[in-house]
Amino acid sequence: MKNVQLGSWITLNHPSIAEIMADAGFDWLCVDLEHSVTDYFEAQQLIMAIQSKGLKAFVRVGENNTRIIKRVLDAGADGIIVPSVNSAAEARKAVDSVKYPPFGKRGVGLSRAQSYGFGFEKYRDTKAKEIVLIVQIEHINAIRELDEILSIEGVDGSFIGPYDLSGSMGLPGAWDKQEVKDALLIYEETVKKYNKLVGYHVISPNFELVNEKVEKGYDFIAFSLDTLFLGEFARNQVNKFKNH
């Protein structure tokens, strides 16, 4: 099997959830700020919990916004996932937000990432250069500009968003439509030309679906999310009890 970085999604804003998920054996966990009620303070607590277990802590920001990205990086995030990157210009904006000058335009803060002002130089010269930037490809316009997006230096990988992609085509969730299949195929063929991470979020907590994506060439896979791992197992066991 190829080298696959397997992670999952954290949507419940409590450090205990992050610790429990981290102990499951994932390589990374992503704190979701786009579709959760998690705020900046809670995000930092989750980042701390994830990193205390030796995992990489990613954050999916709510938008391609310099201020948001700056704040979660200063909180100590190891990687950033940016939604709805639809052009090379938007990809470059994300890079500028993540990288310090002269490569980018990130402002200097003295928060947790920089040891609260006592370790800026060390952070600048080491961890800041290792931050992973993943752009989400979830619009047909992004498919059309995929080569240009992936060619941007500083973009470390991409994450296909099939639901929003199909929606941008006026066919939300219509996986059987040839137009949607063709768009996904373009993505899977184009990313092969680049030595960058290829991401997919397998929503259902079913490892066989992860294997299917690995066989297609995906190597940065988010495996389900905290609420589904909790809910699926609870429902399964309760149903077995009630129907035995």
Short mmCIF file of all heavy atoms in Angstrom, two decimals, residues 200 202-214 221 223:
data_model
loop_
_atom_site.label_atom_id
_atom_site.label_comp_id
_atom_site.label_asym_id
_atom_site.label_seq_id
_atom_site.Cartn_x
_atom_site.Cartn_y
_atom_site.Cartn_z
N TYR A 200 -9.14 13.40 0.08
CA TYR A 200 -10.56 13.04 -0.06
C TYR A 200 -11.11 12.81 1.34
O TYR A 200 -10.44 12.24 2.20
CB TYR A 200 -10.73 11.78 -0.90
CG TYR A 200 -12.14 11.55 -1.38
CD1 TYR A 200 -12.52 11.91 -2.67
CD2 TYR A 200 -13.10 10.97 -0.56
CE1 TYR A 200 -13.81 11.71 -3.13
CE2 TYR A 200 -14.40 10.77 -1.01
CZ TYR A 200 -14.74 11.14 -2.29
OH TYR A 200 -16.03 10.95 -2.74
N VAL A 202 -13.69 10.73 3.23
CA VAL A 202 -14.61 9.60 3.26
C VAL A 202 -15.54 9.80 4.45
O VAL A 202 -15.12 9.68 5.60
CB VAL A 202 -13.84 8.27 3.39
CG1 VAL A 202 -14.81 7.10 3.56
CG2 VAL A 202 -12.95 8.05 2.18
N ILE A 203 -16.79 10.15 4.18
CA ILE A 203 -17.70 10.53 5.25
C ILE A 203 -18.14 9.34 6.11
O ILE A 203 -18.10 9.39 7.34
CB ILE A 203 -18.95 11.23 4.68
CG1 ILE A 203 -18.54 12.48 3.89
CG2 ILE A 203 -19.90 11.61 5.80
CD1 ILE A 203 -17.84 13.53 4.70
N SER A 204 -18.54 8.27 5.47
CA SER A 204 -19.02 7.10 6.22
C SER A 204 -17.87 6.42 6.95
O SER A 204 -16.80 6.22 6.39
CB SER A 204 -19.68 6.11 5.26
OG SER A 204 -20.07 4.94 5.94
N PRO A 205 -18.04 6.05 8.22
CA PRO A 205 -16.99 5.37 8.98
C PRO A 205 -16.85 3.90 8.57
O PRO A 205 -17.09 2.97 9.34
CB PRO A 205 -17.44 5.52 10.44
CG PRO A 205 -18.92 5.62 10.37
CD PRO A 205 -19.23 6.34 9.08
N ASN A 206 -16.46 3.70 7.33
CA ASN A 206 -16.32 2.37 6.74
C ASN A 206 -14.95 2.28 6.08
O ASN A 206 -14.71 2.94 5.07
CB ASN A 206 -17.45 2.14 5.72
CG ASN A 206 -17.40 0.76 5.09
OD1 ASN A 206 -16.37 0.09 5.09
ND2 ASN A 206 -18.52 0.33 4.54
N PHE A 207 -14.05 1.46 6.62
CA PHE A 207 -12.67 1.41 6.14
C PHE A 207 -12.57 0.92 4.70
O PHE A 207 -11.60 1.24 4.00
CB PHE A 207 -11.81 0.54 7.06
CG PHE A 207 -11.93 -0.93 6.80
CD1 PHE A 207 -11.03 -1.59 5.97
CD2 PHE A 207 -12.95 -1.68 7.38
CE1 PHE A 207 -11.14 -2.94 5.73
CE2 PHE A 207 -13.07 -3.03 7.15
CZ PHE A 207 -12.16 -3.67 6.32
N GLU A 208 -13.56 0.15 4.25
CA GLU A 208 -13.52 -0.34 2.87
C GLU A 208 -13.60 0.81 1.88
O GLU A 208 -13.01 0.76 0.80
CB GLU A 208 -14.65 -1.34 2.64
CG GLU A 208 -14.48 -2.64 3.43
CD GLU A 208 -15.64 -3.59 3.23
OE1 GLU A 208 -16.65 -3.18 2.62
OE2 GLU A 208 -15.53 -4.74 3.70
N LEU A 209 -14.32 1.87 2.24
CA LEU A 209 -14.42 3.05 1.38
C LEU A 209 -13.08 3.78 1.33
O LEU A 209 -12.73 4.38 0.30
CB LEU A 209 -15.52 3.98 1.88
CG LEU A 209 -16.93 3.40 1.90
CD1 LEU A 209 -17.92 4.40 2.48
CD2 LEU A 209 -17.36 2.99 0.49
N VAL A 210 -12.33 3.73 2.43
CA VAL A 210 -10.99 4.32 2.44
C VAL A 210 -10.08 3.57 1.48
O VAL A 210 -9.34 4.17 0.69
CB VAL A 210 -10.40 4.31 3.86
CG1 VAL A 210 -8.95 4.79 3.85
CG2 VAL A 210 -11.23 5.18 4.80
N ASN A 211 -10.16 2.25 1.51
CA ASN A 211 -9.34 1.44 0.61
C ASN A 211 -9.63 1.75 -0.85
O ASN A 211 -8.72 1.78 -1.70
CB ASN A 211 -9.57 -0.05 0.87
CG ASN A 211 -8.92 -0.53 2.15
OD1 ASN A 211 -7.96 0.07 2.62
ND2 ASN A 211 -9.42 -1.62 2.71
N GLU A 212 -10.90 2.00 -1.17
CA GLU A 212 -11.27 2.33 -2.55
C GLU A 212 -10.58 3.62 -3.00
O GLU A 212 -10.11 3.73 -4.14
CB GLU A 212 -12.79 2.49 -2.66
CG GLU A 212 -13.57 1.19 -2.53
CD GLU A 212 -15.07 1.41 -2.59
OE1 GLU A 212 -15.49 2.56 -2.89
OE2 GLU A 212 -15.83 0.45 -2.34
N LYS A 213 -10.50 4.60 -2.12
CA LYS A 213 -9.86 5.87 -2.46
C LYS A 213 -8.35 5.72 -2.57
O LYS A 213 -7.71 6.35 -3.42
CB LYS A 213 -10.23 6.95 -1.44
CG LYS A 213 -11.71 7.28 -1.42
CD LYS A 213 -12.23 7.65 -2.81
CE LYS A 213 -13.72 7.85 -2.85
NZ LYS A 213 -14.22 8.08 -4.23
N VAL A 214 -7.78 4.90 -1.73
CA VAL A 214 -6.33 4.64 -1.81
C VAL A 214 -5.99 4.02 -3.16
O VAL A 214 -5.00 4.40 -3.80
CB VAL A 214 -5.88 3.72 -0.66
CG1 VAL A 214 -4.41 3.29 -0.86
CG2 VAL A 214 -6.04 4.43 0.67
N ILE A 221 -6.18 11.29 3.37
CA ILE A 221 -7.58 10.92 3.50
C ILE A 221 -8.11 11.25 4.89
O ILE A 221 -7.54 10.84 5.90
CB ILE A 221 -7.78 9.42 3.20
CG1 ILE A 221 -7.37 9.12 1.76
CG2 ILE A 221 -9.23 9.01 3.44
CD1 ILE A 221 -7.45 7.66 1.39
N PHE A 223 -10.84 10.34 7.33
CA PHE A 223 -11.72 9.20 7.55
C PHE A 223 -12.82 9.59 8.53
O PHE A 223 -12.61 9.67 9.73
CB PHE A 223 -10.91 8.02 8.08
CG PHE A 223 -11.68 6.74 8.25
CD1 PHE A 223 -12.88 6.51 7.58
CD2 PHE A 223 -11.20 5.73 9.07
CE1 PHE A 223 -13.58 5.33 7.73
CE2 PHE A 223 -11.88 4.54 9.22
CZ PHE A 223 -13.07 4.34 8.56
#
